[in-house]
Amino acid sequence: GDAVVVSCSPNIFIYHDDDGDHQADRRETLLSGFGGFNHDHGVHSVIPGPDGRWYIAAGNAGPHELVGSDDSRISSGSIYNGGGPEHAGNSPGRLSDDGRLWTGGIMISCRPDGSDLRVHAHNFRNQYEVALDAFGDMYTEDNDDDGNRGCRTTWVMEGGNYGFFSEDGTRSWQADRRPGQDTWTAHWHQDDPGVMPAGTQNGAGGPTGVAMYEGRRLAPWIDGAVLDCDAGAGVVYIHQPRINGAGIELVPSTLIAAEPS
C-alpha cells in the first residue's frame, strides 16, 4: 500500500507516504532492540504470513532484546560477540516473557502493529530470510560456510532448536564436537537430543533471499517449491518439499547457475 518496511538493526522502521507523492512523509519504529548493528547477522526482511502476522528472521549477532508495542518481551543471546564494530555485549541466559531461554538466530512473528511477539524457532547461525507457503509452513536458508561447507536449506518446525550453539548458547559446535563426528554432524549438533534435523546440505556458499513459488505460470514443475538464492555459489536453488515422517525434507536442484568466469 502506502508504506515501506525497512529492516536496519537495531530497528525495523515503517515509512509512510501520506499524500501519495511516492515519498516518505513520516517514519515509525515497528520494533527495536535487535543485535547486529552494521552487521549482516542482524535483523533481516519482514514477510507477511497467511495468518496476517509479520514474520522476521534475525541472525545470531545478538543480543536481541525486543519489546513489542504491547510490552511483550523476547530475548535471545549466546556467546557470539562479533555483531558490530565493537564488542556487542552478547551473552546467553536471557529469559523471555514466555519463560524460555532462546539462543542465537531466531525466527519470530508479530502483529502488524508490533504487538504479540512470538518466537517460532531458534539457534540458527544466520538464517537470511523466512518464506511461508499458503499453509503457513516456514522455510529458510542458513549460512555457515567460513570453510565449513555448512550452508543449508531447511523446513522450520514450530518451536524447533536448529543446533548451531549448544542449547543454552554457552558453547560453540567446535567445543561440543565428539570424536569421529564429521563436520556437518558436529556443526549443527545433530547427535544432541532435542535438535532438529539440519536440513539439506548446500555446501559452500553465501545464502541470501528465500521465497516460495506456488503456481504454474513460471514452470509447472516448480509449483510448491522453495526458491533460494546463494550469492556465494552463484546459483538459485530449488528445494522441493516432501513429507518424511513427522517432518518435511527438501529435495534439491538448481534453477539458475552463473557461468564460470
Side-chain angles (χ1 to χ4, degrees), residues 136-160:
D137 280 310
M138 298 176 287
Y139 301 88
T140 195
E141 188 174 26
D142 200 3
N143 181 8
D144 197 15
D145 188 5
D146 295 345
N148 299 312
R149 302 181 61 83
C151 299
R152 59 178 176 170
T153 303
T154 185
W155 167 67
V156 181
M157 189 186 81
E158 189 74 30

PDB file of all heavy atoms in Angstrom, residues 136-160:
ATOM      1  N   GLY A 136       1.168 -21.855   5.834  1.00  0.00           N
ATOM      2  CA  GLY A 136       1.886 -21.322   6.980  1.00  0.00           C
ATOM      3  C   GLY A 136       3.140 -22.071   7.344  1.00  0.00           C
ATOM      4  O   GLY A 136       3.789 -21.727   8.346  1.00  0.00           O
ATOM      5  N   ASP A 137       3.528 -23.086   6.574  1.00  0.00           N
ATOM      6  CA  ASP A 137       4.798 -23.759   6.829  1.00  0.00           C
ATOM      7  C   ASP A 137       5.946 -22.814   6.506  1.00  0.00           C
ATOM      8  O   ASP A 137       5.912 -22.095   5.502  1.00  0.00           O
ATOM      9  CB  ASP A 137       4.922 -25.035   5.992  1.00  0.00           C
ATOM     10  CG  ASP A 137       4.155 -26.197   6.597  1.00  0.00           C
ATOM     11  OD1 ASP A 137       4.333 -26.454   7.793  1.00  0.00           O
ATOM     12  OD2 ASP A 137       3.384 -26.832   5.854  1.00  0.00           O
ATOM     13  N   MET A 138       6.981 -22.834   7.345  1.00  0.00           N
ATOM     14  CA  MET A 138       8.116 -21.921   7.217  1.00  0.00           C
ATOM     15  C   MET A 138       9.338 -22.650   6.662  1.00  0.00           C
ATOM     16  O   MET A 138       9.598 -23.798   7.014  1.00  0.00           O
ATOM     17  CB  MET A 138       8.459 -21.329   8.591  1.00  0.00           C
ATOM     18  CG  MET A 138       7.362 -20.499   9.206  1.00  0.00           C
ATOM     19  SD  MET A 138       7.777 -19.916  10.879  1.00  0.00           S
ATOM     20  CE  MET A 138       7.634 -21.458  11.801  1.00  0.00           C
ATOM     21  N   TYR A 139      10.094 -21.936   5.842  1.00  0.00           N
ATOM     22  CA  TYR A 139      11.333 -22.459   5.268  1.00  0.00           C
ATOM     23  C   TYR A 139      12.390 -21.357   5.334  1.00  0.00           C
ATOM     24  O   TYR A 139      12.083 -20.171   5.238  1.00  0.00           O
ATOM     25  CB  TYR A 139      11.122 -22.883   3.818  1.00  0.00           C
ATOM     26  CG  TYR A 139      10.060 -23.945   3.643  1.00  0.00           C
ATOM     27  CD1 TYR A 139       8.724 -23.586   3.464  1.00  0.00           C
ATOM     28  CD2 TYR A 139      10.385 -25.294   3.664  1.00  0.00           C
ATOM     29  CE1 TYR A 139       7.741 -24.557   3.313  1.00  0.00           C
ATOM     30  CE2 TYR A 139       9.410 -26.276   3.521  1.00  0.00           C
ATOM     31  CZ  TYR A 139       8.089 -25.887   3.346  1.00  0.00           C
ATOM     32  OH  TYR A 139       7.121 -26.840   3.207  1.00  0.00           O
ATOM     33  N   THR A 140      13.654 -21.772   5.448  1.00  0.00           N
ATOM     34  CA  THR A 140      14.720 -20.786   5.490  1.00  0.00           C
ATOM     35  C   THR A 140      16.008 -21.391   4.960  1.00  0.00           C
ATOM     36  O   THR A 140      16.112 -22.608   4.753  1.00  0.00           O
ATOM     37  CB  THR A 140      14.921 -20.258   6.920  1.00  0.00           C
ATOM     38  OG1 THR A 140      15.700 -19.065   6.888  1.00  0.00           O
ATOM     39  CG2 THR A 140      15.610 -21.290   7.814  1.00  0.00           C
ATOM     40  N   GLU A 141      16.983 -20.512   4.741  1.00  0.00           N
ATOM     41  CA  GLU A 141      18.309 -20.917   4.293  1.00  0.00           C
ATOM     42  C   GLU A 141      19.321 -20.352   5.293  1.00  0.00           C
ATOM     43  O   GLU A 141      19.351 -19.144   5.536  1.00  0.00           O
ATOM     44  CB  GLU A 141      18.576 -20.368   2.884  1.00  0.00           C
ATOM     45  CG  GLU A 141      19.841 -20.885   2.248  1.00  0.00           C
ATOM     46  CD  GLU A 141      19.971 -20.414   0.801  1.00  0.00           C
ATOM     47  OE1 GLU A 141      19.410 -19.365   0.448  1.00  0.00           O
ATOM     48  OE2 GLU A 141      20.658 -21.100   0.023  1.00  0.00           O
ATOM     49  N   ASP A 142      20.105 -21.209   5.897  1.00  0.00           N
ATOM     50  CA  ASP A 142      21.025 -20.803   6.965  1.00  0.00           C
ATOM     51  C   ASP A 142      22.461 -20.892   6.466  1.00  0.00           C
ATOM     52  O   ASP A 142      22.802 -21.754   5.656  1.00  0.00           O
ATOM     53  CB  ASP A 142      20.831 -21.718   8.178  1.00  0.00           C
ATOM     54  CG  ASP A 142      21.346 -21.120   9.474  1.00  0.00           C
ATOM     55  OD1 ASP A 142      21.814 -19.964   9.452  1.00  0.00           O
ATOM     56  OD2 ASP A 142      21.274 -21.804  10.511  1.00  0.00           O
ATOM     57  N   ASN A 143      23.292 -19.988   6.986  1.00  0.00           N
ATOM     58  CA  ASN A 143      24.658 -19.841   6.469  1.00  0.00           C
ATOM     59  C   ASN A 143      25.673 -20.252   7.516  1.00  0.00           C
ATOM     60  O   ASN A 143      25.672 -19.729   8.619  1.00  0.00           O
ATOM     61  CB  ASN A 143      24.878 -18.372   6.075  1.00  0.00           C
ATOM     62  CG  ASN A 143      26.259 -18.120   5.500  1.00  0.00           C
ATOM     63  OD1 ASN A 143      27.023 -19.045   5.246  1.00  0.00           O
ATOM     64  ND2 ASN A 143      26.580 -16.862   5.304  1.00  0.00           N
ATOM     65  N   ASP A 144      26.501 -21.209   7.172  1.00  0.00           N
ATOM     66  CA  ASP A 144      27.800 -21.316   7.823  1.00  0.00           C
ATOM     67  C   ASP A 144      28.774 -21.957   6.874  1.00  0.00           C
ATOM     68  O   ASP A 144      28.966 -23.160   6.862  1.00  0.00           O
ATOM     69  CB  ASP A 144      27.778 -22.066   9.140  1.00  0.00           C
ATOM     70  CG  ASP A 144      29.061 -21.762   9.925  1.00  0.00           C
ATOM     71  OD1 ASP A 144      29.739 -20.791   9.566  1.00  0.00           O
ATOM     72  OD2 ASP A 144      29.397 -22.479  10.850  1.00  0.00           O
ATOM     73  N   ASP A 145      29.368 -21.102   6.064  1.00  0.00           N
ATOM     74  CA  ASP A 145      30.444 -21.581   5.212  1.00  0.00           C
ATOM     75  C   ASP A 145      31.746 -21.392   5.982  1.00  0.00           C
ATOM     76  O   ASP A 145      32.127 -22.240   6.773  1.00  0.00           O
ATOM     77  CB  ASP A 145      30.453 -20.835   3.880  1.00  0.00           C
ATOM     78  CG  ASP A 145      31.433 -21.453   2.897  1.00  0.00           C
ATOM     79  OD1 ASP A 145      32.005 -22.494   3.236  1.00  0.00           O
ATOM     80  OD2 ASP A 145      31.630 -20.902   1.817  1.00  0.00           O
ATOM     81  N   ASP A 146      32.398 -20.269   5.839  1.00  0.00           N
ATOM     82  CA  ASP A 146      33.649 -19.994   6.573  1.00  0.00           C
ATOM     83  C   ASP A 146      34.588 -21.204   6.559  1.00  0.00           C
ATOM     84  O   ASP A 146      35.244 -21.525   7.549  1.00  0.00           O
ATOM     85  CB  ASP A 146      33.358 -19.582   8.017  1.00  0.00           C
ATOM     86  CG  ASP A 146      32.600 -18.265   8.096  1.00  0.00           C
ATOM     87  OD1 ASP A 146      32.556 -17.557   7.078  1.00  0.00           O
ATOM     88  OD2 ASP A 146      32.059 -17.954   9.164  1.00  0.00           O
ATOM     89  N   GLY A 147      34.593 -21.903   5.419  1.00  0.00           N
ATOM     90  CA  GLY A 147      35.429 -23.087   5.296  1.00  0.00           C
ATOM     91  C   GLY A 147      34.769 -24.371   5.751  1.00  0.00           C
ATOM     92  O   GLY A 147      35.324 -25.463   5.568  1.00  0.00           O
ATOM     93  N   ASN A 148      33.568 -24.283   6.325  1.00  0.00           N
ATOM     94  CA  ASN A 148      32.898 -25.469   6.868  1.00  0.00           C
ATOM     95  C   ASN A 148      31.959 -26.143   5.877  1.00  0.00           C
ATOM     96  O   ASN A 148      31.490 -27.250   6.143  1.00  0.00           O
ATOM     97  CB  ASN A 148      32.090 -25.081   8.110  1.00  0.00           C
ATOM     98  CG  ASN A 148      32.954 -24.511   9.206  1.00  0.00           C
ATOM     99  OD1 ASN A 148      33.981 -25.071   9.558  1.00  0.00           O
ATOM    100  ND2 ASN A 148      32.540 -23.368   9.750  1.00  0.00           N
ATOM    101  N   ARG A 149      31.647 -25.479   4.757  1.00  0.00           N
ATOM    102  CA  ARG A 149      30.718 -26.014   3.758  1.00  0.00           C
ATOM    103  C   ARG A 149      29.410 -26.437   4.411  1.00  0.00           C
ATOM    104  O   ARG A 149      28.838 -27.476   4.101  1.00  0.00           O
ATOM    105  CB  ARG A 149      31.352 -27.183   2.991  1.00  0.00           C
ATOM    106  CG  ARG A 149      32.653 -26.818   2.273  1.00  0.00           C
ATOM    107  CD  ARG A 149      33.228 -27.997   1.507  1.00  0.00           C
ATOM    108  NE  ARG A 149      32.311 -28.459   0.475  1.00  0.00           N
ATOM    109  CZ  ARG A 149      32.200 -27.929  -0.729  1.00  0.00           C
ATOM    110  NH1 ARG A 149      32.949 -26.891  -1.071  1.00  0.00           N
ATOM    111  NH2 ARG A 149      31.330 -28.405  -1.600  1.00  0.00           N
ATOM    112  N   GLY A 150      28.942 -25.596   5.344  1.00  0.00           N
ATOM    113  CA  GLY A 150      27.789 -25.966   6.157  1.00  0.00           C
ATOM    114  C   GLY A 150      26.502 -25.240   5.827  1.00  0.00           C
ATOM    115  O   GLY A 150      25.589 -25.232   6.652  1.00  0.00           O
ATOM    116  N   CYS A 151      26.399 -24.607   4.657  1.00  0.00           N
ATOM    117  CA  CYS A 151      25.160 -23.911   4.305  1.00  0.00           C
ATOM    118  C   CYS A 151      24.033 -24.924   4.117  1.00  0.00           C
ATOM    119  O   CYS A 151      24.253 -26.043   3.645  1.00  0.00           O
ATOM    120  CB  CYS A 151      25.350 -23.096   3.038  1.00  0.00           C
ATOM    121  SG  CYS A 151      26.614 -21.816   3.187  1.00  0.00           S
ATOM    122  N   ARG A 152      22.814 -24.489   4.459  1.00  0.00           N
ATOM    123  CA  ARG A 152      21.698 -25.444   4.435  1.00  0.00           C
ATOM    124  C   ARG A 152      20.386 -24.733   4.117  1.00  0.00           C
ATOM    125  O   ARG A 152      20.233 -23.535   4.340  1.00  0.00           O
ATOM    126  CB  ARG A 152      21.564 -26.124   5.802  1.00  0.00           C
ATOM    127  CG  ARG A 152      21.314 -25.121   6.951  1.00  0.00           C
ATOM    128  CD  ARG A 152      21.151 -25.834   8.269  1.00  0.00           C
ATOM    129  NE  ARG A 152      20.999 -24.913   9.395  1.00  0.00           N
ATOM    130  CZ  ARG A 152      20.659 -25.285  10.619  1.00  0.00           C
ATOM    131  NH1 ARG A 152      20.438 -26.560  10.889  1.00  0.00           N
ATOM    132  NH2 ARG A 152      20.531 -24.399  11.601  1.00  0.00           N
ATOM    133  N   THR A 153      19.441 -25.489   3.591  1.00  0.00           N
ATOM    134  CA  THR A 153      18.060 -25.045   3.442  1.00  0.00           C
ATOM    135  C   THR A 153      17.203 -26.011   4.248  1.00  0.00           C
ATOM    136  O   THR A 153      17.408 -27.231   4.192  1.00  0.00           O
ATOM    137  CB  THR A 153      17.617 -25.039   1.972  1.00  0.00           C
ATOM    138  OG1 THR A 153      18.508 -24.217   1.221  1.00  0.00           O
ATOM    139  CG2 THR A 153      16.208 -24.497   1.826  1.00  0.00           C
ATOM    140  N   THR A 154      16.252 -25.456   5.016  1.00  0.00           N
ATOM    141  CA  THR A 154      15.513 -26.333   5.913  1.00  0.00           C
ATOM    142  C   THR A 154      14.085 -25.869   6.115  1.00  0.00           C
ATOM    143  O   THR A 154      13.782 -24.679   6.046  1.00  0.00           O
ATOM    144  CB  THR A 154      16.228 -26.424   7.290  1.00  0.00           C
ATOM    145  OG1 THR A 154      15.549 -27.372   8.125  1.00  0.00           O
ATOM    146  CG2 THR A 154      16.276 -25.078   7.996  1.00  0.00           C
ATOM    147  N   TRP A 155      13.205 -26.829   6.315  1.00  0.00           N
ATOM    148  CA  TRP A 155      11.874 -26.568   6.848  1.00  0.00           C
ATOM    149  C   TRP A 155      12.025 -26.181   8.305  1.00  0.00           C
ATOM    150  O   TRP A 155      12.909 -26.685   9.009  1.00  0.00           O
ATOM    151  CB  TRP A 155      11.025 -27.824   6.710  1.00  0.00           C
ATOM    152  CG  TRP A 155       9.738 -27.818   7.483  1.00  0.00           C
ATOM    153  CD1 TRP A 155       8.661 -27.013   7.264  1.00  0.00           C
ATOM    154  CD2 TRP A 155       9.390 -28.671   8.581  1.00  0.00           C
ATOM    155  NE1 TRP A 155       7.656 -27.307   8.158  1.00  0.00           N
ATOM    156  CE2 TRP A 155       8.081 -28.327   8.979  1.00  0.00           C
ATOM    157  CE3 TRP A 155      10.045 -29.695   9.259  1.00  0.00           C
ATOM    158  CZ2 TRP A 155       7.417 -28.961  10.024  1.00  0.00           C
ATOM    159  CZ3 TRP A 155       9.392 -30.334  10.303  1.00  0.00           C
ATOM    160  CH2 TRP A 155       8.086 -29.970  10.679  1.00  0.00           C
ATOM    161  N   VAL A 156      11.189 -25.272   8.775  1.00  0.00           N
ATOM    162  CA  VAL A 156      11.276 -24.785  10.152  1.00  0.00           C
ATOM    163  C   VAL A 156      10.079 -25.291  10.945  1.00  0.00           C
ATOM    164  O   VAL A 156       8.940 -24.897  10.682  1.00  0.00           O
ATOM    165  CB  VAL A 156      11.323 -23.243  10.196  1.00  0.00           C
ATOM    166  CG1 VAL A 156      11.432 -22.760  11.642  1.00  0.00           C
ATOM    167  CG2 VAL A 156      12.496 -22.721   9.371  1.00  0.00           C
ATOM    168  N   MET A 157      10.344 -26.161  11.893  1.00  0.00           N
ATOM    169  CA  MET A 157       9.278 -26.681  12.753  1.00  0.00           C
ATOM    170  C   MET A 157       9.011 -25.708  13.892  1.00  0.00           C
ATOM    171  O   MET A 157       9.937 -25.142  14.468  1.00  0.00           O
ATOM    172  CB  MET A 157       9.655 -28.041  13.332  1.00  0.00           C
ATOM    173  CG  MET A 157       8.498 -28.721  14.048  1.00  0.00           C
ATOM    174  SD  MET A 157       8.952 -30.254  14.886  1.00  0.00           S
ATOM    175  CE  MET A 157       9.668 -29.603  16.396  1.00  0.00           C
ATOM    176  N   GLU A 158       7.741 -25.539  14.201  1.00  0.00           N
ATOM    177  CA  GLU A 158       7.355 -24.664  15.295  1.00  0.00           C
ATOM    178  C   GLU A 158       8.055 -25.077  16.592  1.00  0.00           C
ATOM    179  O   GLU A 158       7.971 -26.232  17.013  1.00  0.00           O
ATOM    180  CB  GLU A 158       5.838 -24.702  15.492  1.00  0.00           C
ATOM    181  CG  GLU A 158       5.287 -23.684  16.443  1.00  0.00           C
ATOM    182  CD  GLU A 158       5.279 -22.285  15.868  1.00  0.00           C
ATOM    183  OE1 GLU A 158       5.147 -22.144  14.627  1.00  0.00           O
ATOM    184  OE2 GLU A 158       5.403 -21.328  16.658  1.00  0.00           O
ATOM    185  N   GLY A 159       8.782 -24.135  17.195  1.00  0.00           N
ATOM    186  CA  GLY A 159       9.475 -24.394  18.453  1.00  0.00           C
ATOM    187  C   GLY A 159      10.813 -25.079  18.306  1.00  0.00           C
ATOM    188  O   GLY A 159      11.451 -25.396  19.313  1.00  0.00           O
ATOM    189  N   GLY A 160      11.281 -25.310  17.083  1.00  0.00           N
ATOM    190  CA  GLY A 160      12.479 -26.116  16.849  1.00  0.00           C
ATOM    191  C   GLY A 160      13.772 -25.432  17.273  1.00  0.00           C
ATOM    192  O   GLY A 160      13.943 -24.223  17.147  1.00  0.00           O
TER     193      GLY A 160
END
